[in-house]
Amino acid sequence: MPAPDPRHQPRAFLEHLYRAAVHRALPLHNTAAFLPPPPRGRTLVLGAGKAGGAMAQAVEALWPKEAPLSGLVVTRYDHTPPRPQGLPARIEVVEAAHPVPDAAGLQAAERILSLAQGLTLDDLVLCLISGGGSALLTLPAEGLTLEEKQRINRELLDSGANIVEMNCVRKHLSRIKGGRLAAACAPAKVVTLTISDVPGDDPSVIASGPTVPDASSCADAVAILQRYGIEVPGTLMNLLQQGALETPKPGDPAFAGQQVHMIATPQQSLEAAAAAAREAGLDAHILSDEMEGESREVGKVHAALARAVAQRGQPFARPCVILSGGETTVTVRKQPPGTPRGRGGRAGEFCLGLAQALQGQPGVWALAADTDGIDGVEDNAGAFVAPDTLERALGQGMKIDPYLQRNDAYGYFSALGDLVVTGPTHTNVNDFRALLVL
């Protein structure tokens, strides 16, 4: 469908770019080219992630009807897409909690590890891996309870640790991540189809790399836990310090002959959004698909760039669209007792920092949203910023600084009617940010 006029419908136009980015990353559009031929033995599908349900349906639709196919995939609650009419269900899809794991995820991981047992050289394992799989595929190391794993996960999420750091810890406190699932599948051939949600598209980081070798170490995990002041049970810390929870490393024979295919990436989605902007007659500039850092600070940097473009036509000429992706972080600030906990995720916090730094700059609109449709644990994908955002908020008695202080992007943008709500998109290539400068 044609793009809305950016000059008269800036919000609708930015939402159009977001939809173009998401559409590019949908599994059904990206899977066929990477499917191997059916093996002599059985084909087992295992997987985890926010795109897991859609990836399973794509394989069911594309796999030869006469070839055997079975398996189990775990996705986030309410992230299983409606089943297309006439498509037989051959892969079981179950749902569990994200970003903090729950008992359903534990049960799914136990079943997946059990299904991997007893395979032969004639068998094929298709592993469908997407962002979110690390929390969904939870199988704590021996001696670690689910409750302790949940606490560690929550503290990592609130600490400001980046995704590489978080997943390093998760790998070493797990019996299935960090290549352990692939090792369990031996001697079957393992083909991993991955949708990237991490800066750099490193498959060992996506969902904590259950089917690929892990170059990080127990010592790295210890250093991260100490850096952010996160406690683990003493027996587990001793095992980490002794290297007893080490993951399979590059060169391990368990990975011989295995294949990993990146079927959708953040860069591809940004390029799709840029193409949609150019079709509407606007120049489009992709800053990077690997941006990291504190969400509010990344917002301030984007604001400085947008103000320079709006005021001086540098480094880009107006009108234009500025795009970026990656995975920022939010450090949850400690509050005085009795302060309501703020709500919101990375995209909303980016928009708070952006709006604050834009200072009502005329001619600049922005949208930031997570491509999975869920910003953190809320029901919105992200938020929208306009030249009059601060003015409208002040009209309701809302100063932006207290909302930033308590990490309450959801409360701020909800009151303005500027949340972006899409529902689950059934894919995940992480942060999407678009600034429109007219």
Side-chain angles (χ1 to χ4, degrees):
M1 61 181 293
D5 185 337
R7 292 164 180 81
H8 297 105
Q9 298 175 283
R11 176 169 179 164
F13 176 73
L14 290 171
E15 290 175 346
H16 171 74
L17 300 187
Y18 171 80
R19 288 192 297 271
V22 168
H23 186 268
R24 175 62 181 83
L26 292 175
L28 190 58
H29 305 151
N30 299 288
T31 300
F34 301 103
L35 287 177
R40 286 186 293 180
R42 56 188 293 226
T43 299
L44 178 67
V45 178
L46 305 174
K50 296 175 188 174
M55 294 179 83
Q57 287 187 6
V59 172
E60 288 173 327
L62 297 166
W63 198 249
K65 291 181 173 58
E66 69 281 1
L69 186 71
S70 65
L72 176 63
V73 170
V74 57
T75 192
R76 183 175 176 165
Y77 289 122
D78 301 320
H79 276 58
T80 304
R83 177 162 292 277
Q85 187 173 2
L87 179 65
R90 299 196 275 175
I91 302 165
E92 183 182 357
V93 177
V94 299
E95 298 182 342
H98 178 279
V100 177
D102 69 354
L106 174 61
Q107 183 182 42
E110 288 173 337
R111 289 182 61 198
I112 285 172
L113 200 58
S114 177
L115 287 170
Q117 306 303 311
L119 298 172
T120 73
L121 281 168
D122 290 333
D123 298 327
L124 168 68
V125 181
L126 286 176
C127 284
L128 311 180
I129 303 299
S130 58
S134 194
L136 295 163
L137 200 65
T138 187
L139 196 57
E142 295 290 348
L144 184 67
T145 67
L146 176 61
E147 291 73 23
E148 289 167 334
K149 188 76 176 283
Q150 290 170 326
R151 174 189 59 79
I152 293 167
N153 214 58
R154 278 192 292 265
E155 291 181 8
L156 281 168
L157 289 166
D158 288 350
S159 71
N162 65 35
I163 190 62
V164 174
E165 293 171 320
M166 285 193 285
N167 283 0
C168 173
V169 172
R170 289 163 167 168
K171 290 176 191 178
H172 289 89
L173 295 181
S174 170
R175 285 182 282 136
I176 197 168
K177 302 185 184 81
R180 292 185 176 95
L181 177 57
C185 291
K189 179 179 181 178
V190 177
V191 175
T192 301
L193 306 184
T194 298
I195 294 179
S196 173
D197 72 326
V198 301
D201 303 331
D202 183 349
S204 73
V205 178
I206 303 165
S208 295
T211 62
V212 294
D214 175 37
S216 72
S217 66
C218 284
D220 295 328
V222 169
I224 293 162
L225 290 165
Q226 293 176 341
R227 183 178 310 137
Y228 293 103
I230 297 172
E231 294 185 4
V232 298
T235 54
L236 266 295
M237 180 57 78
N238 289 338
L239 290 172
L240 285 172
Q241 291 173 333
Q242 295 164 11
L245 300 179
E246 205 51 89
T247 48
K249 301 303 176 198
D252 190 302
F255 303 105
Q258 298 195 16
Q259 298 175 8
V260 179
H261 301 294
M262 202 73 58
I263 70 169
T265 68
Q267 181 66 23
Q268 291 169 348
S269 285
L270 292 175
E271 289 171 354
R278 292 172 186 135
E279 287 172 5
L282 295 178
D283 285 341
H285 308 281
I286 298 174
L287 301 181
S288 174
D289 68 333
E290 298 187 34
M291 288 198 168
E292 299 181 85
E294 278 290 324
S295 295
R296 63 180 64 191
E297 301 303 324
V298 176
K300 292 175 184 178
V301 172
H302 280 65
L305 176 60
R307 284 171 60 83
V309 173
Q311 295 174 9
R312 297 189 294 276
Q314 294 177 336
F316 310 127
R318 295 184 293 119
C320 70
V321 169
I322 301 168
L323 300 164
S324 73
E327 182 162 8
T328 58
T329 53
V330 174
T331 301
V332 177
R333 270 65 176 172
K334 291 186 177 180
Q335 302 298 317
T339 303
R341 182 178 174 89
R343 300 172 63 192
R346 301 189 307 263
E349 182 118 343
F350 168 89
C351 288
L352 281 179
L354 178 78
Q356 183 189 54
L358 279 174
Q359 304 170 41
Q361 173 64 50
V364 178
W365 292 262
L367 180 150
D370 198 311
T371 51
D372 70 358
I374 304 296
D375 188 23
V377 297
E378 305 301 337
D379 59 3
N380 67 310
F384 172 74
V385 175
D388 63 351
T389 292
L390 297 181
E391 180 184 356
R392 286 186 291 122
L394 289 173
Q396 296 186 39
M398 300 191 308
K399 294 184 178 180
I400 198 168
D401 290 2
Y403 287 86
L404 265 169
Q405 179 59 35
R406 64 175 183 267
N407 305 102
D408 192 16
Y410 190 97
Y412 188 82
F413 291 105
S414 177
L416 296 175
D418 283 342
L419 293 177
V420 175
V421 180
T422 65
T425 65
H426 311 301
T427 191
N428 181 23
V429 287
N430 236 314
D431 299 346
F432 174 85
R433 296 176 286 267
L435 281 69
L436 171 65
V437 187
L438 297 178

